[in-house]
Amino acid sequence: MLRNLYDRTMRLAEHPHALWALAGVSFVESSVFPIPPDVLMIPMILAAPSRAFLIATVALVASVLGGLLGYAIGAFFYETIGQPVLAAMGKAQAMDAFNTRFNDFGFWAVLTAGVTPFPYKVITIMSGWTGMPLGTFIATSILARGLRFFIVAGLLWKFGEPIRDFIEKRLGLMFTLFIALLIGGFVLVRYL
């Protein structure tokens, strides 16, 4: 089923209204859709490198707006919508324990999920469910999703097709290492 969905998403990249399709995928990916917008962004940017940053901007705006939908699901519809979405992703059992500590690390949770392969929709729903301050959520979502989409766009704009394999296979790992180093640096500064 996921492979079918992935293939259909890839075909959208070739459509004349691909920017609208990207906006739609970016929006729903932030709250319920399992396929990240990168699968549309990458072929769109490779086909039109001069539009790389426009494509990244569309993905960013739609993703943050979709994140607000995820936040609303968590805040107002957790029991009926949020919990089943998280259960489908295998995250339901950890929610109670996670809730107690989430807002202590909310900024870092949103930042990490926004730039790494961790499902961003889990964090958007959790942010609403735990009552994370909306301003913090929005600002961190803009920062995280902006980093992710503009780095991908910049790499593809600069290096083209050769960087595609790296992005598709290793960028999540690089973002994860970056976040680990960033957090480690803050911990060192705080406790040294």
Side-chain angles (χ1 to χ4, degrees):
M1 180 177 108
L2 279 179
R3 182 64 193 183
N4 218 6
L5 189 56
Y6 177 84
D7 291 339
R8 285 179 45 198
T9 305
M10 286 297 288
R11 283 192 299 273
L12 282 174
E14 300 167 359
H15 195 275
H17 300 291
L19 273 177
W20 286 105
L22 175 63
V25 168
S26 298
F27 181 85
V28 296
E29 182 271 337
S30 295
S31 51
V32 294
F33 193 61
I35 306 293
D38 306 65
V39 300
L40 271 176
M41 275 184 57
I42 291 170
M44 287 173 67
I45 293 171
L46 289 174
S50 63
R51 294 176 49 145
F53 300 105
L54 170 65
I55 292 166
T57 300
V58 168
L60 168 63
V61 170
S63 182
V64 172
L65 291 174
L68 289 171
L69 174 62
Y71 186 97
I73 289 170
F76 304 113
F77 306 105
Y78 180 76
E79 298 297 325
T80 56
I81 299 173
Q83 197 169 23
V85 168
L86 297 176
M89 300 184 72
K91 305 291 183 192
Q93 300 301 329
M95 292 301 101
D96 290 331
F98 189 64
N99 183 27
T100 59
R101 299 193 43 100
F102 181 79
N103 281 338
D104 292 339
F105 302 101
F107 169 85
W108 294 108
V110 174
L111 183 67
T112 301
V115 297
T116 65
F118 186 85
Y120 181 58
K121 68 197 76 17
V122 172
I123 296 300
T124 66
I125 293 169
M126 289 303 301
S127 296
W129 183 50
T130 62
M132 172 187 277
L134 188 58
T136 300
F137 173 76
I138 293 170
T140 309
S141 290
I142 291 169
L143 173 65
R145 298 311 259 182
L147 277 171
R148 178 174 175 162
F149 297 140
F150 279 91
I151 287 174
V152 168
L155 289 171
L156 287 168
W157 175 76
K158 177 78 172 160
F159 300 107
E161 186 68 41
I163 201 73
R164 179 181 183 168
D165 182 57
F166 174 82
I167 289 172
E168 289 179 345
K169 293 184 179 171
R170 297 177 192 92
L171 193 61
L173 173 64
M174 300 312 294
F175 275 128
T176 303
L177 290 174
F178 169 75
I179 293 296
L181 289 172
L182 188 64
I183 292 171
F186 278 107
V187 168
L188 283 175
V189 167
R190 182 174 181 190
Y191 292 107
L192 290 181

